[in-house]
Amino acid sequence: MNIHHHISDELLFDYANGALEEGWSLAVATHLALCPSCRKRLAAMEAAGGAIFEAIEVEPASASKEDFSWEAMRARIDNAAPVREVPAAKVVSARDGVLVPEPLRSYIGGDVDKVKWKPLGLGAYHYPIKTSDEDISVRLLRIPAGKPVPEHTHGGRELTLVLKGSFSDVSGRFGPGDFEETDETVDHQPIADPGEDCICLAVTDAPLKFKSRIVRMIQPLLGI
Amino acid sequence: MISAKVRVRKLEKTVKEPDKEELSACLLAVGARKDIQAFEVLFRHFGPKIRAFMLKRGGNRQQAEELMQETMMMIWNKAALFDPARGSVSSWIFTVARNVRIDAFRKTNRPEFDPNDPAFVPDAEPAADDVYQAGQEADRLRGALVKLPPEQADLLRLSFYEEISHSAIAERMNLPLGTVKSRIRLAFSRLREILGDAA
């Protein structure tokens, strides 16, 4: 896999320190599965996290308190049900035919050929993915070859990970494994490259939700 | 049992400050054969740090104690996954504690890649002296962190301790988002330079 567009330091850092919500993390972790160089950068950040963790100043506790804590730990280990042995991490090489890596594959219940696409109009389809944050929209998009990404208005952050095919916009060409990060300050109109439909994972801040039904109804007309 | 006695004596001698090699050997021993004495060394060294790490995210002492025990239980169960070629003991333990903390406070999923997944793209063949390098890297990294400009080091410390995003830090410190981003980029490009890696 020839990846040209990677995760920014600040986004990867949020993932490394645990501050990134599930939807964004899904795009980051799926790119990481495909990209050894971003994994290396993540490892460096976690190493920094380890060094900072190691430097935590601890207020001295009484020896008896520490002993008490250790006894509680021992009791817990003695009483714990035996756990299934965790096999040591083993690396299996990529195989042809499996397109979508974990963690995304479990979220969509299989590979992209199993996805129950919903039409968006003009030949484009999407498949919404549920996560625990309602204000983050996560979905697969399938854009017909040579066509623009539909309904492309968003505020806030937008992450796109290409799974199949490619698209181009002002930032360049994005093929399988490539990761694009934009926000509302970037005026871009992605267009799928000719030749093949483009399938990607798109994560955005969800459109603002208004309480009033009338505002909700005219929201699409106002483009907000 | 003679060897166990010798071992205990050795532990007592080193109980003050076990060094990285000893901690690494202890974690490997827990992974390989559920060595309870090695685990006690890890517990007494990392337990107080994990407790403090949990307290930094909020909550009370009792909860911090519970989350520390939860983390140590996780370490006991998953020690076999520790690979010294991939990083130091403290980074491995940091990632376990981080995940326990996310579960406890945010109650959401943190999606992670799976190295055993057939669609996973593996690293290039690791070099033979990787184990040696990982230990060296931890030392160099510690040294490099101390030399970072204070505004960068403070930012990293705050984010790792309190699990806050760079945009939340910008708000908290009343800084433009662009300033926070560039501090993060500068800090990590410096650290990667130290690690001799331009990735």
Side-chain angles (χ1 to χ4, degrees):
Chain A
M1 192 161 293
N2 215 342
I3 295 177
H4 298 284
H5 300 275
H6 299 274
I7 303 170
S8 71
D9 274 344
E10 60 273 15
L11 187 65
L12 196 58
F13 180 53
D14 284 353
Y15 183 73
N17 69 39
L20 202 61
E21 293 88 349
E22 185 181 3
W24 313 113
S25 296
L26 181 59
V28 167
T30 306
H31 174 82
L32 287 168
L34 299 171
C35 185
S37 94
C38 283
R39 284 202 302 274
K40 200 164 181 187
R41 289 166 56 226
L42 176 70
M45 289 181 178
E46 289 177 340
I52 287 170
F53 172 79
E54 181 65 48
I56 288 181
E57 301 267 339
V58 178
E59 2 171 339
S62 67
S64 66
K65 218 169 154 189
E66 291 300 340
D67 289 342
F68 184 75
S69 179
W70 168 243
E71 287 313 317
M73 186 80 236
R74 270 214 76 139
R76 192 169 163 174
I77 287 174
D78 291 341
N79 295 328
V83 261
R84 207 158 39 85
E85 282 293 312
V86 185
K90 200 176 74 192
V91 176
V92 180
S93 61
R95 198 173 60 201
D96 290 340
V98 182
L99 185 64
V100 179
E102 294 290 4
L104 180 58
R105 198 166 65 244
S106 294
Y107 277 82
I108 60 177
D111 223 327
V112 279
D113 54 355
K114 305 253 165 51
V115 167
K116 296 195 175 70
W117 296 100
K118 296 177 179 171
L120 280 174
L122 302 170
Y125 293 82
H126 78 157
Y127 176 75
I129 296 168
K130 219 177 144 41
T131 66
S132 50
D133 306 290
E134 279 190 359
D135 49 356
I136 301 172
S137 147
V138 185
R139 57 189 183 153
L140 291 183
L141 286 174
R142 195 175 102 201
I143 314 303
K147 294 286 194 289
V149 176
E151 56 168 51
H152 202 75
T153 49
H154 61 86
R157 179 154 59 187
E158 177 184 27
L159 305 182
T160 310
L161 172 68
V162 178
L163 301 167
K164 190 170 184 285
S166 62
F167 70 80
S168 297
D169 68 10
V170 287
S171 313
R173 183 177 173 277
F174 293 78
D178 279 332
F179 190 89
E180 187 178 42
E181 258 176 87
T182 58
D183 59 34
E184 68 279 4
T185 63
V186 181
D187 186 17
H188 74 137
Q189 176 55 68
I191 298 174
D193 292 329
E196 189 184 5
D197 288 0
C198 177
I199 296 177
C200 51
L201 172 68
V203 187
T204 57
D205 284 308
L208 290 169
K209 283 196 182 99
F210 290 96
K211 285 209 173 112
S212 148
R213 224 179 94 217
I214 293 169
V215 177
R216 261 203 328 259
M217 281 166 66
I218 62 169
Q219 196 180 346
L221 304 176
L222 298 172
I224 51 177
Chain B
M1 289 327 281
I2 291 170
S3 68
K5 255 188 197 159
V6 170
R7 206 187 162 93
V8 170
R9 206 169 304 134
K10 199 170 148 217
L11 289 178
E12 277 167 359
K13 224 165 63 185
T14 57
V15 80
K16 279 282 161 270
E17 268 313 310
D19 63 24
K20 284 186 314 298
E21 281 72 28
E22 286 173 86
L23 292 169
S24 185
C26 285
L27 187 50
L28 288 170
V30 173
R33 54 179 184 276
K34 294 274 182 255
D35 183 328
I36 190 81
Q37 283 170 341
F39 187 65
E40 182 172 1
V41 175
L42 294 171
F43 185 90
R44 291 191 185 267
H45 179 78
F46 287 109
K49 289 181 194 296
I50 298 171
R51 216 182 273 132
F53 179 69
M54 296 301 173
L55 270 176
K56 286 178 188 294
R57 182 66 168 76
N60 56 35
R61 276 167 199 286
Q62 192 197 336
Q63 187 188 22
E65 176 71 22
E66 278 163 20
L67 293 177
M68 181 275 280
Q69 299 249 347
E70 182 66 34
T71 306
M72 290 306 302
M73 197 69 207
M74 210 68 115
I75 291 166
W76 174 255
N77 287 331
K78 294 191 169 180
L81 294 174
F82 169 64
D83 178 357
R86 296 193 170 269
S88 70
V89 190
S90 38
S91 25
W92 192 79
I93 288 187
F94 158 71
T95 59
V96 177
R98 172 198 66 196
N99 292 352
V100 167
R101 199 166 76 165
I102 293 170
D103 271 358
F105 286 93
R106 203 127 43 77
K107 299 189 166 50
T108 70
N109 209 352
R110 180 179 184 273
E112 288 186 319
F113 57 84
D114 172 7
N116 295 308
D117 171 26
F120 180 85
V121 177
D123 299 345
E125 282 297 297
D129 56 355
D130 263 2
V131 179
Y132 176 70
Q133 277 183 3
Q136 296 270 303
E137 279 182 3
D139 284 341
R140 271 184 289 163
L141 204 57
R142 232 184 306 278
L145 276 167
V146 177
K147 289 192 206 119
L148 282 183
E151 73 274 9
Q152 291 172 25
D154 289 348
L155 200 160
L156 299 198
R157 216 171 291 123
L158 186 63
S159 319
F160 280 121
Y161 283 170
E162 298 187 26
E163 189 193 308
I164 45 183
S165 67
H166 69 277
S167 53
I169 285 194
E171 266 173 49
R172 165 102 69 103
M173 296 172 106
N174 216 355
L175 287 168
L177 190 56
T179 306
V180 172
K181 285 185 187 181
S182 71
R183 282 183 190 173
I184 293 170
R185 289 176 193 175
L186 285 169
F188 284 109
S189 78
R190 180 81 194 113
L191 295 180
R192 284 196 290 264
E193 208 174 282
I194 303 283
L195 296 175
D197 188 324

